[in-house]
Amino acid sequence: MSIFIKNILLDEQTTNISIKGDKIHAIGTDLVPAADDTIIDGANMAAFPSFANMHGHAAMSLFRGFGDDHNLSDWLNQWIWPNERNLDSEIIYWGVRLACLEMIKSGTTAFADMYFFLPDAARAVEESGIRAILSQSFVDLHNPEMTANVRREVEGMEQMICEWNSSHTLTQFSIAPHAIYTVSNETLKFFADFCHRHNLLYHIHMSETNSEVENSLKDNGCRPYELLDRLGILEQMGSHFLGAHSLHLSQHEIELLGKYHCNVAHNPNSNLKLASGHKFLYNELRNAGVNVTLGTDGCSSSNNLDMIEATKVMSLLQKGWRNDPLAMPASEALNVATVNGFKALGVDAGEVAVGKTADLMLVNLDNLAFVPNNNTMSNLVYAAHGDCVDTVICNGKIVMRHRHVDGEEETIREARRIVSKLITVRPE
Ligand SMILES: [Zn+2]
């Protein structure tokens, strides 16, 4: 497939973009389309890289608006866990289809996910036409019997993971230890050995709350990232490490993350809603050499998957808590939400430039957020919402055109139907 986008605004200049196969082949004002190109008229549109949503639980979109405004332990114990017992292949499939639909409609073409039922989730992502690293989440609750079970289960998945990863491009599988407070040191290390052996992403919730840090100091005699360093996991995983949240960090932990070129995924909306904290140490992490990426977290804690909203909130939070209007300008915020995420996923995308993988979006300049259009990037980050996205291309293929996504009506219908099978316990 080849695509020719004509008269498109890119970096405030009107130009043409030629896409061949999965790559951006050429950009220039003097390009002409080939006979078999699919032509997209870019008049009144601007091109931007699409987003990489670097932490979430896609199928939890079915829990949107369920159990809001409770504290974390009530929410988990009374609202979420009793209903997660109902999860099955069909629920996961339609939950992930719903999440992918929302992501496409707001310009996201890649995500890092942590949940269950990998083959069903992958089928939903592949059929949606976007990309994801899907990690199966595990806990052993520091219980030796469960530790042995988790090990057996992961060993049982080994062949399936290797076969899937070697035969698919858009979706890749991994395993994820949920967090240090739900997973024993032995399992944390076993997962790192497994991920290292198979070249997989090690995705884990880290330092999300103050109490997690305090409990680690009490139980382990050190802070969460110091524990992973002591276990040799940061060094072993390096740029294959993805620490979601990473909100409560010491200078020593930041140095460790930088030393091993690790990735972290900041989730500002989730952190604010759950009152986990708001002083994300962006400048400090960036200066230490850490690759900072952005995520929304699942829809049960951030309620939507709109990366434009998350980008704005991230930037405003940096300005706010630092008391510095120059903190995290729009262009830097957009890089965190795009190119940094793709880098962590090992995909050469996140920039609309020749030779890059063709993951990009076209935004509609007739959307009021771009009227008047004094600065396109500024309008995208500070004024727009996901509904400004008109066209989305992933891996050189069109997945949304003029806001039409194939299968949208069916996905909405099935999501509404399946939720009654998922949510059977309603406190209050
Ligand atoms: Zn999470």
Side-chain angles (χ1 to χ4, degrees):
M1 187 178 185
S2 59
I3 301 170
F4 190 89
I5 308 169
K6 63 174 189 181
N7 300 325
I8 185 80
L9 195 67
L10 174 66
D11 302 328
E12 310 293 3
Q13 307 281 334
T14 301
T15 188
N16 306 297
I17 302 171
S18 162
I19 295 167
K20 291 199 189 304
D22 60 357
K23 293 274 185 294
I24 297 174
H25 171 71
I27 297 174
T29 50
D30 51 355
L31 296 182
V32 287
D36 58 348
D37 279 352
T38 299
I39 309 241
I40 294 178
D41 183 1
N44 279 328
M45 305 257 181
F48 284 100
S50 53
F51 295 101
N53 186 346
M54 292 303 293
H55 177 68
H57 315 278
M60 291 188 90
S61 286
L62 293 169
F63 283 118
R64 192 193 326 261
F66 180 70
D68 285 337
D69 307 323
H70 287 90
N71 73 46
L72 185 64
S73 84
D74 286 350
W75 176 73
L76 283 173
N77 286 298
Q78 294 173 31
W79 297 76
I80 298 299
W81 286 340
N83 289 303
E84 279 188 334
R85 290 191 197 109
N86 296 326
L87 286 174
D88 64 14
S89 293
E90 194 191 18
I91 293 171
I92 292 288
Y93 173 79
W94 286 114
V96 175
R97 280 297 296 258
L98 177 66
C100 289
L101 176 61
E102 187 183 352
M103 285 193 257
I104 291 168
K105 292 214 120 183
S106 49
T108 293
T109 60
F111 63 103
D113 203 65
M114 190 196 285
Y115 215 48
F116 312 108
F117 294 84
L118 298 188
D120 303 290
R123 192 161 52 89
V125 179
E126 294 267 344
E127 288 174 14
S128 301
I130 59 173
R131 55 177 97 239
I133 295 186
L134 304 161
S135 301
Q136 172 126 358
S137 178
F138 286 94
V139 301
D140 69 9
L141 305 178
H142 304 268
N143 168 330
E145 203 176 314
M146 284 183 75
T147 301
N149 288 343
V150 166
R151 181 183 282 257
R152 259 197 306 279
E153 211 178 316
V154 168
E155 283 166 351
M157 292 172 70
E158 188 162 9
Q159 195 184 348
M160 186 271 286
I161 289 174
C162 293
E163 285 177 6
W164 186 277
N165 289 355
S166 61
S167 58
H168 290 79
T169 307
L170 292 180
T171 53
Q172 295 281 288
F173 289 162
S174 187
I175 50 167
H178 172 264
I180 64 162
Y181 55 92
T182 48
V183 177
S184 65
N185 292 352
E186 187 185 336
T187 298
L188 289 171
K189 180 64 179 155
F190 169 71
F191 275 39
D193 292 340
F194 185 93
C195 287
H196 184 66
R197 192 159 64 244
H198 299 298
N199 216 18
L200 308 176
L201 188 74
Y202 189 94
H203 188 174
I204 180 172
H205 293 105
M206 287 297 294
S207 305
E208 181 174 357
T209 61
N210 248 328
S211 60
E212 177 183 341
V213 176
E214 282 161 18
N215 288 336
S216 177
L217 285 165
K218 203 160 60 203
D219 298 341
N220 307 306
C222 62
R223 299 176 65 92
Y225 273 113
E226 291 169 340
L227 174 69
L228 293 195
D229 184 50
R230 205 164 72 193
L231 296 169
I233 293 171
L234 296 180
E235 181 172 14
Q236 192 173 16
M237 297 316 305
S239 63
H240 282 73
F241 181 91
L242 176 63
H245 301 297
S246 302
L247 191 55
H248 301 277
L249 303 176
S250 68
Q251 186 55 36
H252 180 227
E253 289 176 294
I254 291 170
E255 283 161 17
L256 289 171
L257 283 163
K259 180 175 171 192
Y260 299 117
H261 310 289
C262 297
N263 307 287
V264 300
H266 178 31
N267 302 276
N269 285 324
S270 168
N271 296 157
L272 283 170
K273 182 152 174 273
L274 296 170
S276 305
H278 64 281
K279 294 186 177 178
F280 180 73
L281 295 166
Y282 172 71
N283 293 6
E284 294 76 2
L285 286 159
R286 176 201 59 196
N287 294 347
V290 181
N291 185 43
V292 178
T293 71
L294 178 66
T296 57
D297 210 345
C299 270
S300 50
S301 54
S302 79
N303 296 54
N304 71 36
L305 303 174
D306 187 340
M307 284 289 284
I308 297 177
E309 180 183 292
T311 304
K312 176 176 179 175
V313 172
M314 168 175 67
S315 169
L316 297 194
L317 264 179
Q318 290 301 314
K319 296 176 196 305
W321 84 258
R322 290 177 191 278
N323 197 22
D324 177 9
L326 306 186
M328 198 182 266
S331 61
E332 190 163 7
L334 198 61
N335 281 343
V336 171
T338 57
V339 68
N340 290 9
F342 282 100
K343 184 178 167 200
L345 294 170
V347 179
D348 189 22
E351 288 173 80
V352 182
V354 175
K356 296 288 174 185
T357 297
D359 278 38
L360 61 151
M361 63 179 185
L362 308 184
V363 303
N364 182 356
L365 300 179
D366 288 332
N367 185 292
L368 284 182
F370 297 91
V371 181
N373 198 23
N374 294 313
N375 183 316
T376 316
M377 184 177 295
S378 198
N379 284 343
L380 177 71
V381 172
Y382 296 130
H385 297 96
D387 66 358
C388 74
V389 181
D390 177 89
T391 297
V392 175
I393 295 169
C394 177
N395 211 40
K397 294 204 171 65
I398 298 169
V399 292
M400 180 170 82
R401 184 80 185 104
H402 292 324
R403 295 201 63 71
H404 171 83
V405 179
D406 282 345
E408 177 171 354
E409 297 75 15
E410 185 190 18
T411 301
I412 292 171
R413 190 176 65 237
E414 292 301 311
R416 284 179 175 147
R417 177 182 66 83
I418 208 84
V419 76
S420 62
K421 202 170 140 190
L422 171 67
I423 298 179
T424 54
V425 179
R426 288 178 179 274
E428 288 180 341

